[in-house]
Amino acid sequence: MKKLLSKWNSISLIKRIIAGLIIGVVLALAVPQATFVGIFGDLFVSALRAVAPVLIFFLVIGSLCRAKTGKSGTLKTVIVLYLIGTFAAAVVAVIVSFIIPMSITLTEAATENTPPEGITQVLHDLLMQIVDNPVSALYNANFIGVLAWAVLIGVALRMASGHTKSVVDDISNALTKVVRWIISLAPIGILGLVFTAVTESGMGIFTEYGKLILLLVCSMLAMALIFNPLVVFLCIRRNPYPLVFKCLKESAITAFFTRSSAANIPVNMQLCKSLDLDEDIYSVSIPLGATINMEGAAITISIMTLAATNTLGIDVDLPTAVILSILSAVAACGASGVAGGSLLLIPMACSLFGISNDIAMQVVGVGFIIGVIQDSMETALNSSTDALFTAAAEFRSWRKQGREIRIK
């Protein structure tokens, strides 16, 4: 049994998730009466729901209390590009979701959700969630309140001793490891989720998921091939596509398979070195980008949240859509570095519309079902853009200095 378990764990998570998908479908078609299989999906979602608020709380505190202000103008430009790109990605996702509304299948309990009455109620609820008691926010999974208190505490701890910051880091690392343990069980959890989905809704459920995947992928490709090249052109005032394609080739492909921006940091470092960039800049901007440059995550959070509102019949007006774009961008910057980390932030965006945590976690479950493609594309976009914007910012300074820009 020990050898069998070791062999199973040696297989990549993507392959194991695909295996879970296939087994779930086969069991649903062969033995639909075996309802106990669905328990695995319920346990998986419940475990994620339990750890997500605490994980976000300590990750945000840890990142803020360790944050250092960059002295270089080029580094500041990189950070500005990161933030602009992440917000733009959220806007693109919202626009695409308005043009092509998408719905997903939820349980009957989801129809009991009561939508908010207009922007006034949304803003009132948002403000009340922000000032919620921090313990209550953690207990009730009030992600907006968790984020607000984490920001305040993180900023306040910037003057704390190194030992205190180390304790926060240790807690963050421990929680991240717990999430990795849970994510390692994703194949079994997805097996249960797929079994329940197919037995309740039939094979047509995959047509719906296919459309959702297509919407996510097209939005990410729009950022990678249209918006990002435009940003690079404004920086370097020359054809941006040689640089764009170099970053996609040397960074996006490896990130697609590793599904980890952190794991792709060495690849991006080597890419920046091959472009003759300043090591003092990219040695800071690349690890920082793995944390706050989250275009793909912003797209995932926005599209999945609006899919939930469409499913529940909640009307989203323009002011609320703008707030969602801002919230998705902020949430994406705090996304965990583990596989599927952005999915854990969907409940926070859903809470903007009064969608309960139980329902939001069903959306997260759908996200893990499509995560084989979604998370790989998301990581590829996030990580390749780290190197792209770092190069664009430095080439911008070269252009102002009259230096020649050569893309090898």
Side-chain angles (χ1 to χ4, degrees):
M1 179 61 69
K2 186 176 180 179
K3 291 183 179 180
L4 184 63
L5 184 61
S6 177
K7 182 66 175 178
W8 171 254
N9 289 330
S10 66
I11 303 173
S12 71
L13 183 61
I14 294 178
K15 293 180 180 179
R16 283 184 281 157
I17 287 177
I18 293 175
L21 282 167
I22 296 173
I23 295 172
V25 172
V26 171
L27 289 177
L29 296 177
V31 284
Q33 67 275 14
T35 54
F36 68 91
V37 176
I39 296 175
F40 297 122
D42 294 337
L43 290 173
F44 178 65
V45 171
S46 295
L48 287 174
R49 183 171 57 203
V51 75
V54 185
L55 175 68
I56 293 171
F57 186 68
F58 281 99
L59 280 177
V60 174
I61 290 176
S63 62
L64 286 177
C65 73
R66 295 191 313 271
K68 297 180 180 180
T69 304
K71 297 180 180 180
S72 169
T74 301
L75 183 57
K76 291 179 181 178
T77 301
V78 176
I79 295 173
V80 170
L81 292 179
Y82 284 167
L83 298 178
I84 290 175
T86 301
F87 175 70
V91 172
V92 167
V94 169
I95 293 173
V96 170
S97 293
F98 272 101
I99 296 174
I100 310 175
M102 189 66 59
S103 298
I104 54 180
T105 300
L106 301 175
T107 62
E108 293 182 2
T111 60
E112 301 174 1
N113 191 64
T114 303
E117 299 176 0
I119 185 63
T120 302
Q121 183 180 343
V122 169
L123 290 175
H124 175 269
D125 293 344
L126 178 62
L127 292 174
M128 294 307 294
Q129 289 173 21
I130 290 174
V131 298
D132 191 13
N133 181 288
V135 177
S136 175
L138 286 168
Y139 179 78
N140 296 311
N142 169 13
F143 288 92
I144 293 178
V146 169
L147 182 62
W149 283 108
V151 168
L152 289 175
I153 296 173
V155 172
L157 285 176
R158 293 190 66 175
M159 301 302 294
S161 66
H163 177 71
T164 300
K165 294 179 181 179
S166 296
V167 171
V168 174
D169 277 344
D170 289 341
I171 295 175
S172 298
N173 293 335
L175 289 169
T176 300
K177 182 175 290 186
V178 169
V179 172
R180 287 198 181 100
W181 289 342
I182 297 174
I183 297 299
S184 69
L185 298 175
I188 299 174
I190 289 172
L191 185 155
L193 291 171
V194 171
F195 177 88
T196 301
V198 173
T199 53
E200 292 182 355
S201 304
M203 289 297 291
I205 194 74
F206 290 104
T207 302
E208 171 187 303
Y209 290 161
K211 293 178 181 178
L212 184 59
I213 291 172
L214 185 62
L215 190 65
L216 286 163
V217 170
C218 288
S219 298
M220 293 178 191
L221 289 176
M223 288 300 299
L225 300 177
I226 299 176
F227 180 82
N228 288 348
L230 177 60
V231 171
V232 174
F233 172 77
L234 293 175
C235 289
I236 67 177
R237 303 300 172 87
R238 57 177 289 181
N239 182 7
Y241 284 99
L243 178 60
V244 170
F245 290 139
K246 182 177 179 65
C247 292
L248 290 176
K249 178 184 177 181
E250 298 189 18
S251 177
I253 292 177
T254 56
F256 181 89
F257 291 104
T258 61
R259 299 176 71 204
S260 170
S261 294
N264 211 48
I265 286 177
V267 176
N268 280 341
M269 291 281 202
Q270 184 60 40
L271 173 57
C272 290
K273 183 178 181 179
S274 71
L275 291 170
D276 293 329
L277 302 184
D278 187 347
E279 185 176 358
D280 290 338
I281 300 298
Y282 69 73
S283 63
V284 176
S285 67
I286 295 301
L288 182 63
T291 304
I292 68 171
N293 183 37
M294 295 289 176
E295 291 185 359
I299 289 172
T300 298
I301 294 168
S302 298
I303 287 180
M304 296 297 285
T305 299
L306 288 176
T309 62
N310 291 331
T311 302
L312 298 172
I314 300 175
D315 292 326
V316 182
D317 52 23
L318 182 58
T320 311
V322 173
I323 295 175
L324 174 62
S325 298
I326 296 172
L327 183 61
S328 295
V330 173
C333 290
S336 171
V338 300
S342 62
L343 299 176
L344 300 179
L345 295 164
I346 291 173
M348 183 171 66
C350 285
S351 65
L352 176 65
F353 301 95
I355 298 174
S356 71
N357 189 49
D358 288 339
I359 297 172
M361 291 310 297
Q362 294 180 49
V363 181
V364 173
V366 172
F368 273 103
I369 290 175
I370 65 173
V372 174
I373 296 176
Q374 169 270 324
D375 195 44
S376 295
M377 284 294 298
E378 177 183 310
T379 307
L381 175 61
N382 291 342
S383 191
S384 62
T385 308
D386 295 345
L388 179 66
F389 283 169
T390 296
E394 186 156 351
F395 286 165
R396 176 176 178 268
S397 67
W398 288 11
R399 178 177 61 83
K400 290 183 176 181
Q401 297 168 11
R403 292 180 55 183
E404 181 183 1
I405 299 174
R406 292 184 298 176
I407 301 173
K408 299 179 182 180

